[in-house]
C-alpha cells in the first residue's frame, strides 16, 4: 500500500474485521482532485450490492473551489467498486447467507498512483464487546506508561 488518504477508525471500533480486500473505484476527475487534496471522510460510509455490483455509499469527497460547477461531482454520491468476479461472489455470499457487513477501512494511492480502497468483511460488535476492547486498550496504555517510567 502507498500513501494513505483517509482511514475509517470507527470501523475497527464497531466491527470484528474478518477478511480484507483491495478494490478500485470509478471516479471522475473532480473527485480525484478532491481526494488528492485530502477532502475525504469514510466515517459513515458503507458498501451495498446493486444488481450484483458493489457500490460505496455515503462516502464524502469534498469539492475544490477551483472546480467549475458544471464538472463538480456529488459529494456524498454512490461510487462503483471494481473487484474480480470471484471476490464479488464471495462477498455477496457472505452478506446474504452469513449476515456479514462490508465496510471500507481506508482509501489510499497504490504504487502506480491509482486510488484504491481497502474494504473488509466484518461482523458487528455488541456493546459489551466494545466496552471490553476499550478496557483492554486502557490496560495496554497503563502498561506502556509504567514501562516508560520504569
Amino acid at each position: 500500500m502507498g500513501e494513505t488518504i483517509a482511514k475509517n477508525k470507527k470501523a475497527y471500533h464497531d466491527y470484528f474485521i474478518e477478511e480484507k480486500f483491495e478494490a478500485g473505484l470509478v471516479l471522475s476527475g473532480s473527485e480525484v482532485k478532491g481526494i488528492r487534496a485530502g477532502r475525504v471522510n469514510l466515517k459513515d460510509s458503507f458498501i451495498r450490492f446493486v444488481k450484483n455490483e458493489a457500490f460505496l455509499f455515503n462516502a464524502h469527497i469534498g469539492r475544490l473551489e477551483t472546480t467549475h460547477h458544471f464538472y463538480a461531482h456529488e459529494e456524498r454520491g454512490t461510487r462503483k467498486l471494481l473487484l474480480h468476479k470471484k471476490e464479488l461472489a464471495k462477498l455477496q455470499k457472505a452478506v446474504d447467507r452469513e449476515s456479514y457487513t462490508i465496510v471500507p477501512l481506508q482509501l489510499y494511492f497504490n504504487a502506480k498512483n491509482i486510488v484504491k480502497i481497502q474494504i473488509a468483511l466484518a461482523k458487528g460488535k455488541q456493546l459489551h464487546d466494545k466496552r471490553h476492547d476499550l478496557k483492554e486498550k486502557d490496560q495496554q496504555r497503563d502498561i506502556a506508561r509504567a514501562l516508560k517510567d520504569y
Side-chain angles (χ1 to χ4, degrees), residues 42-143:
L42 297 174
K43 188 175 180 182
D44 296 325
S45 57
F46 57 94
I47 295 165
R48 288 252 168 90
F49 285 96
V50 178
K51 296 183 181 178
N52 295 328
E53 294 179 342
F55 286 88
L56 176 67
F57 289 91
N58 212 21
H60 183 271
I61 299 176
R63 291 189 203 109
L64 292 178
E65 293 84 24
T66 57
T67 306
H68 192 274
H69 66 85
F70 183 77
Y71 298 107
H73 60 276
E74 189 178 337
E75 289 185 334
R76 288 205 177 266
T78 60
R79 291 155 183 99
K80 184 177 176 180
L81 297 180
L82 303 172
L83 290 159
H84 294 285
K85 283 185 182 180
K86 289 182 181 179
E87 292 175 336
L88 280 171
K90 183 177 184 178
L91 289 170
Q92 194 163 15
K93 177 185 169 190
V95 168
D96 291 342
R97 294 189 186 147
E98 301 164 20
S99 69
Y100 278 95
T101 305
I102 305 171
V103 292
L105 297 179
Q106 66 179 356
L107 195 68
Y108 59 92
F109 289 109
N110 68 356
K112 295 180 181 177
N113 213 14
I114 297 171
V115 178
K116 297 287 183 176
I117 187 166
Q118 185 179 38
I119 61 175
L121 205 54
K123 274 216 186 254
K125 285 185 183 179
Q126 300 284 329
L127 184 61
H128 60 86
D129 293 328
K130 293 178 188 177
R131 286 191 195 131
H132 180 71
D133 286 349
L134 288 174
K135 191 186 299 183
E136 281 185 5
K137 190 175 176 182
D138 288 341
Q139 288 174 349
Q140 292 297 327
R141 192 179 307 125
D142 291 341
I143 290 169

